[in-house]
Amino acid sequence: MVEGRMSKPLLIVEDLRVEINRHGSIVTPVDEVSFELQQGEILGLVGESGSGKTLTLKALMGLLPPGVVQVGGSISSRSGDVLQPLDPEKARGRIMAMIFQEPATALNPLRRVRDLIAEPFIVGHGVARNEARAKAVALMRAVGIPDPEQRSRAYPHQLSGGLRQRVMIAMALATESTLLLCDEPTTALDVTIQDQILGLLVELKRERDLTLVLVTHDLAVVSELCDRVAVMYAGRIVETGATADVFANPGHPYTAALLAAVPRFEPGGGDLTTIGGSPPDLRNVPSGCRFRTRCQYAFEECATAGHRLTHVADERQTACIHPAWIERGVAI
Amino acid sequence: MTALLEIEKLTVQFGSATLTDRILRRRARVLRAVDDLSLTLEQGEALAVVGESGCGKSTLARAIVGLVPIASGRVHFDGMDIAGGRDRSTRRRIQMVFQDPGSSLNPSLTVRNTLAEVLKVHSMVPADRIGERCAELMDLVELPPAILDARPQRLSGGQKQRIGIARALAAEPDLLIADEAVAALDVSVQASVLNLLRQLRHRLGLTLLFISHDLAVVRNLCDRVAVMYLGTVVEESNTEEVFGNPRHPYTRALLSAVPRIGVKKTSGEAALAGEPPSPLALPLGCRFHPRCPIAAEVCRIEEPLLESRQQHAARCHFAWESTEPITIGEQP
């Protein structure tokens, strides 16, 4: 099933590099990031704070904050059979839309919900205001907002966090984009509401044939939702593959350590496995593999190895050069 | 075991008649954050209070430490009534660790001064032993002594939370209240802080009240769990009993809403529909009935009592209808 898709990536990111120049000292929060996004999949970008996952997403969207610049790499998107460089300014709101973490601050507080959702119809597709509002109400129903007619006149602050996130999803759908970039869409929500929103994303993806990139720090959310996962550490992707495979049999020591640190939903409360040390200061990253200073399997070559994702099995790539980990990957 | 903390029919409310209310002779809008709540904490145990935002778990913690006034009810600590106020020595014996170490530490004080302040206020050690004690505290929370001269700004999130714990421990408390103490931390850091809390608890014989929304964390750390919904406890028992045999439909929904590694979500079906009603307008009867999948006529009319069977209490009319164990999430 994957074969057919593999040949037609929707988005190809190659060697993406993002820099911040602060008082003359340059840090690279996103470095040599390459991945492909297949039509119709949900890809998870997972990592801890500062791993570069959100900036990667913002670079795709062309929404890097001031002072943060993409200095290298290419992003290309497919339209029909042609791959062409992605122009975020043009693609934003047409083929791709973003769902932000904090709907409380991402929604314009001065506009009614129906106008927020209607705007893409009016601006992007030239639909008349009344018709656009009717479409907005229909979308509100589609994303599971109860009493959409009544709620459509509300302002964002009058809605709960869960409803605001549904409004944001409706706004993204209103652009008629088929690629949704989601930045921690459920992190600010309670667990029962998170469950609802994740379910909504699964349904919408199926009904509307969407492709999703999901940035999150929560490995369990990735496991629930994503077909494939890319694990980021200190600005680089260290492992990618099918989510179930990666989580069952990690092919990089960082992925393994991260998985071991998550409290499992199982009886018994022993000590959790921790990762010694802390993520490197981006102003002063270790040479070679950036995880080597915290890695219990590190050996000499790790200090000089270049960063390269190696195929170890179908769909499975790891940046680790340690034979034991590569063997594990191949064994899958 | 003897009870260290006994809470009986505790009510905490916010909002009283404003000037406008008085002029218009309106009834004041009162929010009952904690409503008729009873809870007992045995010496040396770790009790988790779990629930979603707005359920009153943090208010409960703040009422116990004396940060919010108590409207009615009894709070007994080691046999003393502390509902109306407490003397300094009792205050010392109940300490709190806050969620966000970034904003709960004084940014202008060095770590040494932060700790020394507590030692002086409570006359914990003679003045000439303060330095020595600070170093011991650092050792206790596994931080290098060099950090004593740093200000919070220079510390990582995990280090700041360890300082938060050291500050609480400086007062040598009997009861430690941790309010979402690991919620803001990355998973690898969270694991090490959880391990630290577990070790300290056993080493110092602390009684722990652990407020959290994260059920996996709670299962890992605590002996007993109380589930709160809209200001009151709806279920309470030892951890394995609550997780393995939940009797309240809210607990069941909460448990099945938790995302798990290795379980993929394939439908939009959510564990629980809707959102909690406003605590300003509590539903009549059982406060969970509007969202409850098994609600019956009696639930709309009569508020259920917290009924116990073999040290397992649940506030549901149907909790003990059938005694078959109910398991959540163990099925494929």
Side-chain angles (χ1 to χ4, degrees):
Chain A
M1 124 205 153
V2 184
E3 286 297 48
R5 283 181 187 162
M6 282 305 281
S7 55
K8 279 205 170 186
L10 184 69
L11 208 65
I12 298 178
V13 179
E14 265 174 308
D15 280 335
L16 183 71
R17 190 179 158 92
V18 169
E19 278 184 1
I20 304 174
N21 189 335
R22 200 179 284 148
H23 313 303
S25 79
I26 291 172
V27 297
T28 316
V30 176
D31 198 10
E32 300 182 73
V33 164
S34 304
F35 62 90
E36 291 184 356
L37 183 64
Q38 308 298 332
Q39 168 78 43
E41 73 171 349
I42 305 185
L43 171 72
L45 271 185
V46 67
E48 298 183 273
S49 337
S51 62
K53 54 193 193 302
T54 297
L55 284 180
T56 301
L57 199 70
K58 290 194 167 162
L60 295 185
M61 206 60 192
L63 289 176
L64 288 172
V68 184
V69 257
Q70 184 190 332
V71 292
S74 66
I75 306 169
S76 23
S77 69
R78 172 179 296 279
S79 90
D81 278 337
V82 198
L83 267 177
Q84 55 194 32
L86 177 86
D87 179 355
E89 297 294 324
K90 283 194 182 142
R92 208 163 54 217
R94 288 194 179 79
I95 66 161
M96 59 185 193
M98 187 148 169
I99 293 167
F100 295 89
Q101 171 172 6
E102 198 24 90
T105 52
L107 297 176
N108 183 342
L110 300 178
R111 304 198 61 195
R112 293 178 199 272
V113 166
R114 63 177 178 197
D115 293 321
L116 288 171
I117 303 172
E119 186 171 276
F121 288 120
I122 300 169
V123 177
H125 303 280
V127 177
R129 178 170 302 269
N130 279 339
E131 196 189 330
R133 279 184 176 167
K135 282 180 161 226
V137 172
L139 267 183
M140 288 176 70
R141 189 171 287 118
V143 297
I145 297 177
D147 302 324
E149 278 91 2
Q150 190 210 330
R151 289 261 161 69
S152 72
R153 285 187 288 274
Y155 289 93
H157 78 268
Q158 292 169 313
L159 302 178
S160 66
L163 287 182
R164 281 197 289 250
Q165 197 53 284
R166 288 175 194 268
V167 168
M168 187 116 79
I169 292 170
M171 286 168 68
L173 295 177
T175 64
E176 293 178 11
S177 301
T178 53
L179 171 56
L180 297 191
L181 306 179
C182 313
D183 184 16
E184 304 263 12
T186 59
T187 303
L189 304 176
D190 274 320
V191 50
T192 61
I193 310 297
Q194 162 169 289
D195 184 45
Q196 294 172 6
I197 298 287
L198 295 181
L200 175 67
L201 289 175
V202 169
E203 294 275 295
L204 290 173
K205 187 215 144 197
R206 192 165 36 215
E207 283 164 17
R208 293 166 186 251
D209 197 21
L210 303 174
T211 306
L212 267 70
V213 181
L214 180 77
V215 161
T216 179
H217 70 283
D218 190 331
L219 295 164
V221 167
V222 171
S223 183
E224 285 227 328
L225 219 61
C226 300
D227 306 307
R228 282 197 314 127
V229 61
V231 182
M232 291 192 73
Y233 182 77
R236 286 173 172 169
I237 292 180
V238 295
E239 177 168 14
T240 70
T243 309
D245 288 350
V246 171
F247 284 11
N249 198 357
H252 193 285
Y254 176 64
T255 316
L258 203 56
L259 282 164
V262 181
R264 292 303 171 104
F265 204 75
E266 279 151 19
D271 266 4
L272 296 161
T273 317
T274 59
I275 311 178
S278 48
D281 183 343
L282 287 172
R283 284 167 299 191
N284 187 17
V285 286
S287 65
C289 171
R290 293 186 176 173
F291 187 60
R292 70 178 165 85
T293 48
R294 303 171 74 190
C295 180
Q296 48 180 324
Y297 307 96
F299 60 126
E300 245 171 63
E301 280 85 335
C302 296
T304 50
H307 178 75
R308 202 164 70 89
L309 282 171
T310 314
H311 270 279
V312 287
D314 283 345
E315 278 199 88
R316 191 65 180 280
Q317 294 177 304
T318 174
C320 184
I321 59 160
H322 196 290
W325 287 91
I326 293 176
E327 265 165 42
R328 287 186 62 165
V330 173
I332 297 159
Chain B
M1 288 222 268
T2 49
L4 181 67
L5 184 74
E6 276 182 285
I7 300 169
E8 241 177 84
K9 295 181 178 301
L10 174 72
T11 298
V12 179
Q13 53 192 32
F14 297 111
S16 48
T18 59
L19 187 59
T20 336
D21 288 335
R22 275 191 237 152
I23 293 167
L24 299 175
R25 300 188 181 211
R26 274 196 314 218
R27 268 188 58 193
R29 274 155 62 96
V30 172
L31 187 152
R32 265 203 191 150
V34 177
D35 191 8
D36 199 26
L37 178 143
S38 302
L39 209 56
T40 305
L41 203 57
E42 305 289 342
Q43 181 84 46
E45 77 172 343
L47 171 71
V49 174
V50 302
E52 300 181 275
S53 12
C55 73
K57 54 191 194 301
S58 289
T59 305
L60 170 66
R62 300 175 83 85
I64 298 170
V65 245
L67 287 173
V68 292
I70 289 163
S72 67
R74 251 169 37 102
V75 182
H76 275 220
F77 176 74
D78 202 7
M80 288 169 289
D81 184 1
I82 56 168
R86 58 201 75 184
D87 58 21
R88 181 175 293 186
S89 75
T90 315
R91 259 201 314 266
R92 174 190 68 75
R93 297 175 61 193
I94 308 176
Q95 291 293 321
M96 185 146 159
V97 179
F98 296 87
Q99 168 169 8
D100 181 10
S103 59
S104 59
L105 294 175
N106 186 335
S108 64
L109 292 185
T110 60
V111 170
R112 186 190 307 279
N113 288 342
T114 298
L115 298 179
E117 186 173 41
V118 181
L119 297 173
K120 281 182 207 150
V121 166
H122 293 296
S123 318
M124 299 306 298
V125 289
D128 56 337
R129 273 213 58 224
I130 283 179
E132 202 181 316
R133 181 66 187 147
C134 284
E136 284 171 19
L137 285 166
M138 296 302 278
D139 194 41
L140 205 55
V141 295
E142 297 162 3
L143 286 177
I147 283 185
L148 277 172
D149 295 310
R151 291 193 166 75
Q153 188 198 344
R154 262 193 42 214
L155 305 177
S156 72
Q159 287 173 332
K160 278 188 256 190
Q161 196 54 290
R162 284 167 191 266
I163 301 297
I165 294 170
R167 178 177 60 182
L169 294 179
E172 295 173 32
D174 298 300
L175 172 61
L176 186 68
I177 301 179
D179 185 8
E180 298 278 11
V182 298
L185 306 175
D186 268 322
V187 26
S188 65
V189 182
Q190 171 179 296
S192 66
V193 173
L194 280 175
N195 288 346
L196 176 69
L197 279 173
R198 186 187 358 261
Q199 285 156 17
L200 288 174
R201 195 195 136 202
H202 291 133
R203 225 166 112 190
L204 307 175
L206 287 172
T207 306
L208 184 66
L209 182 66
F210 189 80
I211 313 270
S212 178
H213 70 282
D214 188 332
L215 294 156
V217 164
V218 160
R219 195 170 198 174
N220 178 267
L221 186 70
C222 297
D223 312 318
R224 223 148 51 84
V225 178
V227 181
M228 276 184 82
Y229 186 74
L230 285 176
T232 196
V233 171
V234 294
E235 180 152 11
E236 191 210 323
S237 190
N238 68 59
T239 306
E240 279 327 302
E241 185 69 11
V242 170
F243 282 75
N245 182 24
R247 305 312 305 188
H248 197 285
Y250 177 65
T251 313
R252 293 203 281 271
L254 209 53
L255 291 175
S256 58
V258 178
R260 273 161 238 249
I261 289 177
V263 183
K264 184 142 185 183
K265 200 174 181 74
T266 49
S267 80
E269 228 168 87
L272 197 58
E275 304 195 348
S278 159
L280 281 168
L282 284 183
L284 290 174
C286 171
R287 55 193 75 203
F288 184 59
H289 88 257
R291 299 174 82 193
C292 182
I294 58 165
E297 200 48 43
V298 59
C299 308
R300 284 177 254 283
I301 304 161
E302 198 184 317
E303 171 146 34
L305 300 170
L306 195 63
E307 244 186 277
S308 298
R309 299 280 155 90
Q310 289 156 356
Q311 303 181 346
H312 186 156
R315 198 186 276 267
C316 172
H317 290 298
F318 303 108
W320 307 105
E321 283 264 291
S322 98
T323 45
E324 263 175 58
I326 297 155
T327 45
I328 301 284
E330 320 293 337
Q331 65 267 51

